[in-house]
Amino acid sequence: MQRYFASVTETNIILSKDDVFHLTKVMRAKLGDHIIAIDNKELYLGEVTSLNPLLVVNKGIYQEDNRELDVDTTLFFSLAKGDKIDFVIQKATELGVKHIVLIKTERAVVKISDDDFKRKLPRYLLIAKEASEQSSRRMIPEIIYLSSIKNIPTNLLSDINFVAYEEDAFNKVSFDDVKGKKSVSILIGPEGGLTSNEVDLLVSQGFNRVSLGKRILRTETAAVAALSMINMVIEQ
């Protein structure tokens, strides 16, 4: 069944204009078809009872195991060129992150202002929404922008925080310290890597240096690899 984040009332399920188009024109819904609607992390079963206009009736709570991670996960991702940010938002969402923090670093090629981020945010959220629906999640990650790596707000930090650093490439890969924690963060640097001063600054803010293995990874690959490693520890 198709999944949509929606507004659910006692009797009806109200989809956004774009989702109405997707359900009726792309998926070619028929009378009697069912969907799953997500509202406030709760799942509801909907039945299409009219096509023009579209009417989806709320048939009640839909029972399904919760697929969200047991540990709140935050990805700090340095600004990157091309469609790499879009890619990372999509994959990080599929991998269960709760927060995605785009962060400006010294060697980041891309430079954006707060206004640029506000203009891009609707597209980022749409990517996250579609990835959440595809991966059967119950929430859409929060997406934030930080214009400096200095003095990261404490409310964005987790019980344990990691920074991937290529200088540690030959150290043992381990996220075992995640076990027993309620929240975890991982920071991934830009294509040119973090400077040693930036790493020292992050360590002073409570980050732990960690290796992702012996090979030097592209920034978008590093984000996916790190989150996959963390997931493996969380879900074992």
PDB file of all heavy atoms in Angstrom, residues 3-8 13-25 35 37-38 54 56 126 129-130 133 140:
ATOM      1  N   ARG A   3       2.048   4.932   1.035  1.00  0.00           N
ATOM      2  CA  ARG A   3       2.078   5.647   2.312  1.00  0.00           C
ATOM      3  C   ARG A   3       2.189   7.135   2.056  1.00  0.00           C
ATOM      4  O   ARG A   3       2.932   7.569   1.178  1.00  0.00           O
ATOM      5  CB  ARG A   3       3.275   5.195   3.158  1.00  0.00           C
ATOM      6  CG  ARG A   3       3.194   3.763   3.623  1.00  0.00           C
ATOM      7  CD  ARG A   3       4.523   3.325   4.225  1.00  0.00           C
ATOM      8  NE  ARG A   3       4.421   1.945   4.689  1.00  0.00           N
ATOM      9  CZ  ARG A   3       4.218   1.595   5.944  1.00  0.00           C
ATOM     10  NH1 ARG A   3       4.126   2.516   6.883  1.00  0.00           N
ATOM     11  NH2 ARG A   3       4.115   0.336   6.282  1.00  0.00           N
ATOM     12  N   TYR A   4       1.475   7.902   2.876  1.00  0.00           N
ATOM     13  CA  TYR A   4       1.522   9.357   2.749  1.00  0.00           C
ATOM     14  C   TYR A   4       1.448   9.989   4.131  1.00  0.00           C
ATOM     15  O   TYR A   4       0.653   9.557   4.976  1.00  0.00           O
ATOM     16  CB  TYR A   4       0.339   9.877   1.917  1.00  0.00           C
ATOM     17  CG  TYR A   4       0.281   9.346   0.510  1.00  0.00           C
ATOM     18  CD1 TYR A   4      -0.532   8.269   0.186  1.00  0.00           C
ATOM     19  CD2 TYR A   4       1.046   9.924  -0.505  1.00  0.00           C
ATOM     20  CE1 TYR A   4      -0.598   7.779  -1.116  1.00  0.00           C
ATOM     21  CE2 TYR A   4       0.990   9.443  -1.807  1.00  0.00           C
ATOM     22  CZ  TYR A   4       0.165   8.366  -2.101  1.00  0.00           C
ATOM     23  OH  TYR A   4       0.114   7.886  -3.391  1.00  0.00           O
ATOM     24  N   PHE A   5       2.268  11.009   4.353  1.00  0.00           N
ATOM     25  CA  PHE A   5       2.087  11.839   5.532  1.00  0.00           C
ATOM     26  C   PHE A   5       0.866  12.718   5.266  1.00  0.00           C
ATOM     27  O   PHE A   5       0.758  13.337   4.199  1.00  0.00           O
ATOM     28  CB  PHE A   5       3.330  12.680   5.798  1.00  0.00           C
ATOM     29  CG  PHE A   5       4.470  11.862   6.343  1.00  0.00           C
ATOM     30  CD1 PHE A   5       5.395  11.280   5.485  1.00  0.00           C
ATOM     31  CD2 PHE A   5       4.607  11.669   7.710  1.00  0.00           C
ATOM     32  CE1 PHE A   5       6.443  10.515   5.979  1.00  0.00           C
ATOM     33  CE2 PHE A   5       5.648  10.901   8.214  1.00  0.00           C
ATOM     34  CZ  PHE A   5       6.566  10.319   7.336  1.00  0.00           C
ATOM     35  N   ALA A   6      -0.044  12.752   6.208  1.00  0.00           N
ATOM     36  CA  ALA A   6      -1.325  13.395   5.958  1.00  0.00           C
ATOM     37  C   ALA A   6      -1.899  13.964   7.241  1.00  0.00           C
ATOM     38  O   ALA A   6      -1.381  13.728   8.341  1.00  0.00           O
ATOM     39  CB  ALA A   6      -2.304  12.384   5.352  1.00  0.00           C
ATOM     40  N   SER A   7      -2.982  14.694   7.084  1.00  0.00           N
ATOM     41  CA  SER A   7      -3.767  15.170   8.235  1.00  0.00           C
ATOM     42  C   SER A   7      -4.950  14.234   8.393  1.00  0.00           C
ATOM     43  O   SER A   7      -5.734  14.053   7.450  1.00  0.00           O
ATOM     44  CB  SER A   7      -4.231  16.608   7.986  1.00  0.00           C
ATOM     45  OG  SER A   7      -5.045  17.047   9.046  1.00  0.00           O
ATOM     46  N   VAL A   8      -5.069  13.635   9.559  1.00  0.00           N
ATOM     47  CA  VAL A   8      -6.101  12.617   9.784  1.00  0.00           C
ATOM     48  C   VAL A   8      -7.126  13.124  10.784  1.00  0.00           C
ATOM     49  O   VAL A   8      -6.773  13.554  11.887  1.00  0.00           O
ATOM     50  CB  VAL A   8      -5.470  11.300  10.282  1.00  0.00           C
ATOM     51  CG1 VAL A   8      -6.557  10.249  10.528  1.00  0.00           C
ATOM     52  CG2 VAL A   8      -4.445  10.782   9.270  1.00  0.00           C
ATOM     53  N   ILE A  13      -9.099  11.186   5.777  1.00  0.00           N
ATOM     54  CA  ILE A  13      -7.661  11.391   5.627  1.00  0.00           C
ATOM     55  C   ILE A  13      -7.460  12.452   4.553  1.00  0.00           C
ATOM     56  O   ILE A  13      -7.941  12.298   3.422  1.00  0.00           O
ATOM     57  CB  ILE A  13      -6.954  10.083   5.248  1.00  0.00           C
ATOM     58  CG1 ILE A  13      -6.981   9.115   6.441  1.00  0.00           C
ATOM     59  CG2 ILE A  13      -5.511  10.348   4.800  1.00  0.00           C
ATOM     60  CD1 ILE A  13      -6.489   7.727   6.126  1.00  0.00           C
ATOM     61  N   ILE A  14      -6.784  13.534   4.920  1.00  0.00           N
ATOM     62  CA  ILE A  14      -6.640  14.680   4.025  1.00  0.00           C
ATOM     63  C   ILE A  14      -5.197  14.728   3.521  1.00  0.00           C
ATOM     64  O   ILE A  14      -4.254  14.931   4.292  1.00  0.00           O
ATOM     65  CB  ILE A  14      -6.999  15.988   4.745  1.00  0.00           C
ATOM     66  CG1 ILE A  14      -8.434  15.884   5.295  1.00  0.00           C
ATOM     67  CG2 ILE A  14      -6.870  17.180   3.808  1.00  0.00           C
ATOM     68  CD1 ILE A  14      -8.779  16.970   6.297  1.00  0.00           C
ATOM     69  N   LEU A  15      -5.028  14.544   2.210  1.00  0.00           N
ATOM     70  CA  LEU A  15      -3.718  14.538   1.589  1.00  0.00           C
ATOM     71  C   LEU A  15      -3.364  15.914   1.042  1.00  0.00           C
ATOM     72  O   LEU A  15      -4.254  16.713   0.741  1.00  0.00           O
ATOM     73  CB  LEU A  15      -3.673  13.522   0.444  1.00  0.00           C
ATOM     74  CG  LEU A  15      -3.964  12.056   0.800  1.00  0.00           C
ATOM     75  CD1 LEU A  15      -3.930  11.207  -0.463  1.00  0.00           C
ATOM     76  CD2 LEU A  15      -2.971  11.527   1.821  1.00  0.00           C
ATOM     77  N   SER A  16      -2.070  16.172   0.890  1.00  0.00           N
ATOM     78  CA  SER A  16      -1.632  17.415   0.258  1.00  0.00           C
ATOM     79  C   SER A  16      -2.011  17.383  -1.223  1.00  0.00           C
ATOM     80  O   SER A  16      -2.302  16.324  -1.799  1.00  0.00           O
ATOM     81  CB  SER A  16      -0.122  17.584   0.402  1.00  0.00           C
ATOM     82  OG  SER A  16       0.556  16.627  -0.402  1.00  0.00           O
ATOM     83  N   LYS A  17      -1.975  18.550  -1.859  1.00  0.00           N
ATOM     84  CA  LYS A  17      -2.302  18.649  -3.281  1.00  0.00           C
ATOM     85  C   LYS A  17      -1.390  17.747  -4.115  1.00  0.00           C
ATOM     86  O   LYS A  17      -1.858  17.050  -5.041  1.00  0.00           O
ATOM     87  CB  LYS A  17      -2.186  20.102  -3.735  1.00  0.00           C
ATOM     88  CG  LYS A  17      -2.568  20.335  -5.174  1.00  0.00           C
ATOM     89  CD  LYS A  17      -2.454  21.816  -5.527  1.00  0.00           C
ATOM     90  CE  LYS A  17      -2.811  22.065  -6.994  1.00  0.00           C
ATOM     91  NZ  LYS A  17      -2.698  23.521  -7.332  1.00  0.00           N
ATOM     92  N   ASP A  18      -0.102  17.760  -3.802  1.00  0.00           N
ATOM     93  CA  ASP A  18       0.843  16.928  -4.556  1.00  0.00           C
ATOM     94  C   ASP A  18       0.556  15.445  -4.365  1.00  0.00           C
ATOM     95  O   ASP A  18       0.682  14.651  -5.314  1.00  0.00           O
ATOM     96  CB  ASP A  18       2.277  17.241  -4.121  1.00  0.00           C
ATOM     97  CG  ASP A  18       2.760  18.594  -4.623  1.00  0.00           C
ATOM     98  OD1 ASP A  18       2.132  19.138  -5.556  1.00  0.00           O
ATOM     99  OD2 ASP A  18       3.746  19.114  -4.058  1.00  0.00           O
ATOM    100  N   ASP A  19       0.176  15.049  -3.147  1.00  0.00           N
ATOM    101  CA  ASP A  19      -0.104  13.644  -2.892  1.00  0.00           C
ATOM    102  C   ASP A  19      -1.421  13.211  -3.527  1.00  0.00           C
ATOM    103  O   ASP A  19      -1.562  12.049  -3.944  1.00  0.00           O
ATOM    104  CB  ASP A  19      -0.118  13.367  -1.390  1.00  0.00           C
ATOM    105  CG  ASP A  19       1.286  13.385  -0.798  1.00  0.00           C
ATOM    106  OD1 ASP A  19       2.253  13.205  -1.567  1.00  0.00           O
ATOM    107  OD2 ASP A  19       1.419  13.595   0.427  1.00  0.00           O
ATOM    108  N   VAL A  20      -2.365  14.107  -3.602  1.00  0.00           N
ATOM    109  CA  VAL A  20      -3.609  13.807  -4.327  1.00  0.00           C
ATOM    110  C   VAL A  20      -3.286  13.502  -5.783  1.00  0.00           C
ATOM    111  O   VAL A  20      -3.780  12.527  -6.370  1.00  0.00           O
ATOM    112  CB  VAL A  20      -4.610  14.983  -4.230  1.00  0.00           C
ATOM    113  CG1 VAL A  20      -5.767  14.786  -5.204  1.00  0.00           C
ATOM    114  CG2 VAL A  20      -5.142  15.116  -2.807  1.00  0.00           C
ATOM    115  N   PHE A  21      -2.439  14.353  -6.385  1.00  0.00           N
ATOM    116  CA  PHE A  21      -2.036  14.123  -7.777  1.00  0.00           C
ATOM    117  C   PHE A  21      -1.318  12.786  -7.912  1.00  0.00           C
ATOM    118  O   PHE A  21      -1.580  12.010  -8.850  1.00  0.00           O
ATOM    119  CB  PHE A  21      -1.129  15.265  -8.252  1.00  0.00           C
ATOM    120  CG  PHE A  21      -0.638  15.097  -9.658  1.00  0.00           C
ATOM    121  CD1 PHE A  21      -1.403  15.539 -10.727  1.00  0.00           C
ATOM    122  CD2 PHE A  21       0.585  14.485  -9.922  1.00  0.00           C
ATOM    123  CE1 PHE A  21      -0.954  15.380 -12.032  1.00  0.00           C
ATOM    124  CE2 PHE A  21       1.038  14.313 -11.217  1.00  0.00           C
ATOM    125  CZ  PHE A  21       0.262  14.766 -12.280  1.00  0.00           C
ATOM    126  N   HIS A  22      -0.397  12.498  -6.989  1.00  0.00           N
ATOM    127  CA  HIS A  22       0.362  11.251  -7.060  1.00  0.00           C
ATOM    128  C   HIS A  22      -0.558  10.041  -6.957  1.00  0.00           C
ATOM    129  O   HIS A  22      -0.431   9.077  -7.739  1.00  0.00           O
ATOM    130  CB  HIS A  22       1.409  11.204  -5.947  1.00  0.00           C
ATOM    131  CG  HIS A  22       2.273   9.983  -5.987  1.00  0.00           C
ATOM    132  ND1 HIS A  22       1.979   8.839  -5.283  1.00  0.00           N
ATOM    133  CD2 HIS A  22       3.421   9.719  -6.670  1.00  0.00           C
ATOM    134  CE1 HIS A  22       2.905   7.929  -5.509  1.00  0.00           C
ATOM    135  NE2 HIS A  22       3.789   8.432  -6.348  1.00  0.00           N
ATOM    136  N   LEU A  23      -1.487  10.075  -6.024  1.00  0.00           N
ATOM    137  CA  LEU A  23      -2.366   8.932  -5.804  1.00  0.00           C
ATOM    138  C   LEU A  23      -3.317   8.725  -6.983  1.00  0.00           C
ATOM    139  O   LEU A  23      -3.541   7.588  -7.418  1.00  0.00           O
ATOM    140  CB  LEU A  23      -3.154   9.123  -4.509  1.00  0.00           C
ATOM    141  CG  LEU A  23      -4.106   7.982  -4.113  1.00  0.00           C
ATOM    142  CD1 LEU A  23      -3.340   6.675  -3.939  1.00  0.00           C
ATOM    143  CD2 LEU A  23      -4.849   8.341  -2.828  1.00  0.00           C
ATOM    144  N   THR A  24      -3.873   9.810  -7.508  1.00  0.00           N
ATOM    145  CA  THR A  24      -4.892   9.682  -8.561  1.00  0.00           C
ATOM    146  C   THR A  24      -4.302   9.557  -9.961  1.00  0.00           C
ATOM    147  O   THR A  24      -4.796   8.776 -10.780  1.00  0.00           O
ATOM    148  CB  THR A  24      -5.861  10.870  -8.517  1.00  0.00           C
ATOM    149  OG1 THR A  24      -5.117  12.095  -8.656  1.00  0.00           O
ATOM    150  CG2 THR A  24      -6.623  10.889  -7.205  1.00  0.00           C
ATOM    151  N   LYS A  25      -3.237  10.316 -10.257  1.00  0.00           N
ATOM    152  CA  LYS A  25      -2.711  10.349 -11.620  1.00  0.00           C
ATOM    153  C   LYS A  25      -1.532   9.402 -11.833  1.00  0.00           C
ATOM    154  O   LYS A  25      -1.414   8.785 -12.893  1.00  0.00           O
ATOM    155  CB  LYS A  25      -2.283  11.776 -11.984  1.00  0.00           C
ATOM    156  CG  LYS A  25      -3.391  12.802 -11.851  1.00  0.00           C
ATOM    157  CD  LYS A  25      -4.592  12.477 -12.739  1.00  0.00           C
ATOM    158  CE  LYS A  25      -5.665  13.565 -12.617  1.00  0.00           C
ATOM    159  NZ  LYS A  25      -6.858  13.239 -13.434  1.00  0.00           N
ATOM    160  N   ILE A  35      -4.768   2.970   1.406  1.00  0.00           N
ATOM    161  CA  ILE A  35      -3.475   3.602   1.638  1.00  0.00           C
ATOM    162  C   ILE A  35      -3.193   3.566   3.136  1.00  0.00           C
ATOM    163  O   ILE A  35      -4.087   3.303   3.945  1.00  0.00           O
ATOM    164  CB  ILE A  35      -3.436   5.064   1.141  1.00  0.00           C
ATOM    165  CG1 ILE A  35      -4.357   5.946   2.002  1.00  0.00           C
ATOM    166  CG2 ILE A  35      -3.776   5.152  -0.332  1.00  0.00           C
ATOM    167  CD1 ILE A  35      -4.146   7.441   1.787  1.00  0.00           C
ATOM    168  N   ALA A  37      -1.825   6.174   6.003  1.00  0.00           N
ATOM    169  CA  ALA A  37      -1.545   7.585   6.291  1.00  0.00           C
ATOM    170  C   ALA A  37      -0.792   7.691   7.608  1.00  0.00           C
ATOM    171  O   ALA A  37      -1.068   6.942   8.556  1.00  0.00           O
ATOM    172  CB  ALA A  37      -2.843   8.381   6.367  1.00  0.00           C
ATOM    173  N   ILE A  38       0.189   8.607   7.656  1.00  0.00           N
ATOM    174  CA  ILE A  38       0.973   8.836   8.871  1.00  0.00           C
ATOM    175  C   ILE A  38       0.671  10.228   9.389  1.00  0.00           C
ATOM    176  O   ILE A  38       0.797  11.210   8.655  1.00  0.00           O
ATOM    177  CB  ILE A  38       2.486   8.698   8.611  1.00  0.00           C
ATOM    178  CG1 ILE A  38       2.791   7.403   7.861  1.00  0.00           C
ATOM    179  CG2 ILE A  38       3.257   8.742   9.925  1.00  0.00           C
ATOM    180  CD1 ILE A  38       3.192   7.597   6.431  1.00  0.00           C
ATOM    181  N   LEU A  54     -11.267  13.612  -4.758  1.00  0.00           N
ATOM    182  CA  LEU A  54     -10.732  12.487  -4.002  1.00  0.00           C
ATOM    183  C   LEU A  54     -11.224  12.542  -2.569  1.00  0.00           C
ATOM    184  O   LEU A  54     -11.152  13.571  -1.902  1.00  0.00           O
ATOM    185  CB  LEU A  54      -9.199  12.530  -4.005  1.00  0.00           C
ATOM    186  CG  LEU A  54      -8.534  11.384  -3.219  1.00  0.00           C
ATOM    187  CD1 LEU A  54      -8.728  10.046  -3.935  1.00  0.00           C
ATOM    188  CD2 LEU A  54      -7.053  11.662  -3.005  1.00  0.00           C
ATOM    189  N   VAL A  56     -10.780  10.102   0.912  1.00  0.00           N
ATOM    190  CA  VAL A  56     -10.182   8.938   1.566  1.00  0.00           C
ATOM    191  C   VAL A  56     -10.737   8.861   2.979  1.00  0.00           C
ATOM    192  O   VAL A  56     -10.562   9.781   3.785  1.00  0.00           O
ATOM    193  CB  VAL A  56      -8.642   9.030   1.600  1.00  0.00           C
ATOM    194  CG1 VAL A  56      -8.051   7.774   2.231  1.00  0.00           C
ATOM    195  CG2 VAL A  56      -8.079   9.230   0.192  1.00  0.00           C
ATOM    196  N   LEU A 126      10.962  17.877   1.036  1.00  0.00           N
ATOM    197  CA  LEU A 126      10.223  16.994   0.131  1.00  0.00           C
ATOM    198  C   LEU A 126      11.007  15.716  -0.126  1.00  0.00           C
ATOM    199  O   LEU A 126      10.438  14.613  -0.137  1.00  0.00           O
ATOM    200  CB  LEU A 126       9.931  17.714  -1.188  1.00  0.00           C
ATOM    201  CG  LEU A 126       9.200  16.881  -2.256  1.00  0.00           C
ATOM    202  CD1 LEU A 126       7.846  16.415  -1.741  1.00  0.00           C
ATOM    203  CD2 LEU A 126       9.042  17.685  -3.541  1.00  0.00           C
ATOM    204  N   LYS A 129      10.667  13.688   3.002  1.00  0.00           N
ATOM    205  CA  LYS A 129       9.296  13.147   3.107  1.00  0.00           C
ATOM    206  C   LYS A 129       9.135  11.905   2.235  1.00  0.00           C
ATOM    207  O   LYS A 129       8.647  10.859   2.696  1.00  0.00           O
ATOM    208  CB  LYS A 129       8.282  14.213   2.704  1.00  0.00           C
ATOM    209  CG  LYS A 129       6.844  13.706   2.569  1.00  0.00           C
ATOM    210  CD  LYS A 129       5.924  14.810   2.084  1.00  0.00           C
ATOM    211  CE  LYS A 129       4.510  14.318   1.832  1.00  0.00           C
ATOM    212  NZ  LYS A 129       4.434  13.355   0.695  1.00  0.00           N
ATOM    213  N   GLU A 130       9.556  12.011   0.976  1.00  0.00           N
ATOM    214  CA  GLU A 130       9.405  10.883   0.063  1.00  0.00           C
ATOM    215  C   GLU A 130      10.265   9.699   0.504  1.00  0.00           C
ATOM    216  O   GLU A 130       9.839   8.540   0.401  1.00  0.00           O
ATOM    217  CB  GLU A 130       9.764  11.316  -1.356  1.00  0.00           C
ATOM    218  CG  GLU A 130       8.752  12.302  -1.944  1.00  0.00           C
ATOM    219  CD  GLU A 130       9.160  12.828  -3.302  1.00  0.00           C
ATOM    220  OE1 GLU A 130      10.333  12.614  -3.703  1.00  0.00           O
ATOM    221  OE2 GLU A 130       8.314  13.455  -3.973  1.00  0.00           O
ATOM    222  N   GLU A 133       8.499   8.017   3.471  1.00  0.00           N
ATOM    223  CA  GLU A 133       7.372   7.196   3.011  1.00  0.00           C
ATOM    224  C   GLU A 133       7.865   5.901   2.389  1.00  0.00           C
ATOM    225  O   GLU A 133       7.333   4.822   2.660  1.00  0.00           O
ATOM    226  CB  GLU A 133       6.533   7.993   2.008  1.00  0.00           C
ATOM    227  CG  GLU A 133       5.788   9.158   2.650  1.00  0.00           C
ATOM    228  CD  GLU A 133       5.183  10.128   1.645  1.00  0.00           C
ATOM    229  OE1 GLU A 133       5.592  10.097   0.452  1.00  0.00           O
ATOM    230  OE2 GLU A 133       4.319  10.924   2.029  1.00  0.00           O
ATOM    231  N   ILE A 140       9.399  12.541   9.565  1.00  0.00           N
ATOM    232  CA  ILE A 140      10.302  13.159   8.600  1.00  0.00           C
ATOM    233  C   ILE A 140      11.420  13.830   9.398  1.00  0.00           C
ATOM    234  O   ILE A 140      11.149  14.576  10.342  1.00  0.00           O
ATOM    235  CB  ILE A 140       9.562  14.208   7.758  1.00  0.00           C
ATOM    236  CG1 ILE A 140       8.383  13.555   7.031  1.00  0.00           C
ATOM    237  CG2 ILE A 140      10.504  14.879   6.766  1.00  0.00           C
ATOM    238  CD1 ILE A 140       7.447  14.553   6.383  1.00  0.00           C
TER     239      ILE A 140
END
